[in-house]
PDB file of all heavy atoms in Angstrom:
ATOM      1  N   GLY A 183     -32.664   7.083   8.020  1.00  0.00           N
ATOM      2  CA  GLY A 183     -32.564   6.554   9.364  1.00  0.00           C
ATOM      3  C   GLY A 183     -31.215   6.793   9.986  1.00  0.00           C
ATOM      4  O   GLY A 183     -30.354   7.483   9.443  1.00  0.00           O
ATOM      5  N   SER A 184     -30.999   6.173  11.126  1.00  0.00           N
ATOM      6  CA  SER A 184     -29.811   6.454  11.920  1.00  0.00           C
ATOM      7  C   SER A 184     -28.577   5.689  11.456  1.00  0.00           C
ATOM      8  O   SER A 184     -27.473   6.015  11.849  1.00  0.00           O
ATOM      9  CB  SER A 184     -30.079   6.120  13.391  1.00  0.00           C
ATOM     10  OG  SER A 184     -30.378   4.729  13.519  1.00  0.00           O
ATOM     11  N   GLY A 185     -28.765   4.643  10.626  1.00  0.00           N
ATOM     12  CA  GLY A 185     -27.621   3.850  10.210  1.00  0.00           C
ATOM     13  C   GLY A 185     -26.562   4.679   9.540  1.00  0.00           C
ATOM     14  O   GLY A 185     -25.372   4.589   9.854  1.00  0.00           O
ATOM     15  N   CYS A 186     -26.952   5.499   8.597  1.00  0.00           N
ATOM     16  CA  CYS A 186     -25.996   6.356   7.896  1.00  0.00           C
ATOM     17  C   CYS A 186     -25.498   7.468   8.807  1.00  0.00           C
ATOM     18  O   CYS A 186     -24.322   7.802   8.809  1.00  0.00           O
ATOM     19  CB  CYS A 186     -26.634   6.937   6.639  1.00  0.00           C
ATOM     20  SG  CYS A 186     -25.494   7.904   5.613  1.00  0.00           S
ATOM     21  N   ASN A 187     -26.403   8.059   9.580  1.00  0.00           N
ATOM     22  CA  ASN A 187     -26.014   9.173  10.440  1.00  0.00           C
ATOM     23  C   ASN A 187     -24.967   8.776  11.470  1.00  0.00           C
ATOM     24  O   ASN A 187     -24.106   9.570  11.843  1.00  0.00           O
ATOM     25  CB  ASN A 187     -27.245   9.750  11.147  1.00  0.00           C
ATOM     26  CG  ASN A 187     -28.220  10.377  10.170  1.00  0.00           C
ATOM     27  OD1 ASN A 187     -27.824  10.800   9.088  1.00  0.00           O
ATOM     28  ND2 ASN A 187     -29.497  10.422  10.532  1.00  0.00           N
ATOM     29  N   LYS A 188     -25.023   7.507  11.924  1.00  0.00           N
ATOM     30  CA  LYS A 188     -24.017   7.044  12.874  1.00  0.00           C
ATOM     31  C   LYS A 188     -22.649   6.915  12.212  1.00  0.00           C
ATOM     32  O   LYS A 188     -21.623   7.093  12.850  1.00  0.00           O
ATOM     33  CB  LYS A 188     -24.437   5.695  13.466  1.00  0.00           C
ATOM     34  CG  LYS A 188     -25.583   5.775  14.464  1.00  0.00           C
ATOM     35  CD  LYS A 188     -25.899   4.400  15.015  1.00  0.00           C
ATOM     36  CE  LYS A 188     -27.016   4.477  16.041  1.00  0.00           C
ATOM     37  NZ  LYS A 188     -27.357   3.136  16.589  1.00  0.00           N
ATOM     38  N   ARG A 189     -22.652   6.577  10.930  1.00  0.00           N
ATOM     39  CA  ARG A 189     -21.400   6.384  10.222  1.00  0.00           C
ATOM     40  C   ARG A 189     -20.791   7.699   9.733  1.00  0.00           C
ATOM     41  O   ARG A 189     -19.574   7.831   9.632  1.00  0.00           O
ATOM     42  CB  ARG A 189     -21.628   5.447   9.038  1.00  0.00           C
ATOM     43  CG  ARG A 189     -20.414   5.190   8.172  1.00  0.00           C
ATOM     44  CD  ARG A 189     -19.352   4.383   8.908  1.00  0.00           C
ATOM     45  NE  ARG A 189     -19.874   3.117   9.329  1.00  0.00           N
ATOM     46  CZ  ARG A 189     -20.039   2.064   8.535  1.00  0.00           C
ATOM     47  NH1 ARG A 189     -19.721   2.143   7.268  1.00  0.00           N
ATOM     48  NH2 ARG A 189     -20.508   0.931   9.002  1.00  0.00           N
ATOM     49  N   GLU A 190     -21.643   8.671   9.406  1.00  0.00           N
ATOM     50  CA  GLU A 190     -21.125   9.897   8.801  1.00  0.00           C
ATOM     51  C   GLU A 190     -20.227  10.646   9.771  1.00  0.00           C
ATOM     52  O   GLU A 190     -20.458  10.662  10.983  1.00  0.00           O
ATOM     53  CB  GLU A 190     -22.257  10.803   8.327  1.00  0.00           C
ATOM     54  CG  GLU A 190     -23.075  11.417   9.437  1.00  0.00           C
ATOM     55  CD  GLU A 190     -24.197  12.314   8.921  1.00  0.00           C
ATOM     56  OE1 GLU A 190     -24.479  12.318   7.705  1.00  0.00           O
ATOM     57  OE2 GLU A 190     -24.794  13.012   9.769  1.00  0.00           O
ATOM     58  N   THR A 191     -19.188  11.261   9.247  1.00  0.00           N
ATOM     59  CA  THR A 191     -18.248  12.024  10.073  1.00  0.00           C
ATOM     60  C   THR A 191     -18.381  13.513   9.839  1.00  0.00           C
ATOM     61  O   THR A 191     -17.736  14.300  10.517  1.00  0.00           O
ATOM     62  CB  THR A 191     -16.803  11.589   9.773  1.00  0.00           C
ATOM     63  OG1 THR A 191     -16.559  11.750   8.383  1.00  0.00           O
ATOM     64  CG2 THR A 191     -16.579  10.138  10.165  1.00  0.00           C
ATOM     65  N   ILE A 192     -19.201  13.897   8.855  1.00  0.00           N
ATOM     66  CA  ILE A 192     -19.565  15.301   8.650  1.00  0.00           C
ATOM     67  C   ILE A 192     -21.084  15.336   8.693  1.00  0.00           C
ATOM     68  O   ILE A 192     -21.739  14.848   7.771  1.00  0.00           O
ATOM     69  CB  ILE A 192     -19.048  15.845   7.309  1.00  0.00           C
ATOM     70  CG1 ILE A 192     -17.523  15.782   7.272  1.00  0.00           C
ATOM     71  CG2 ILE A 192     -19.531  17.265   7.075  1.00  0.00           C
ATOM     72  CD1 ILE A 192     -16.904  16.251   5.973  1.00  0.00           C
ATOM     73  N   PRO A 193     -21.687  15.858   9.753  1.00  0.00           N
ATOM     74  CA  PRO A 193     -23.147  15.830   9.888  1.00  0.00           C
ATOM     75  C   PRO A 193     -23.829  16.429   8.657  1.00  0.00           C
ATOM     76  O   PRO A 193     -23.448  17.482   8.156  1.00  0.00           O
ATOM     77  CB  PRO A 193     -23.397  16.676  11.139  1.00  0.00           C
ATOM     78  CG  PRO A 193     -22.148  16.528  11.938  1.00  0.00           C
ATOM     79  CD  PRO A 193     -21.045  16.461  10.935  1.00  0.00           C
ATOM     80  N   GLY A 194     -24.851  15.741   8.193  1.00  0.00           N
ATOM     81  CA  GLY A 194     -25.568  16.182   7.010  1.00  0.00           C
ATOM     82  C   GLY A 194     -25.062  15.558   5.724  1.00  0.00           C
ATOM     83  O   GLY A 194     -25.714  15.674   4.686  1.00  0.00           O
TER      84      GLY A 194
END
Side-chain angles (χ1 to χ4, degrees):
S184 61
C186 185
N187 295 335
K188 287 181 178 179
R189 178 68 59 78
E190 69 180 10
T191 56
I192 298 178

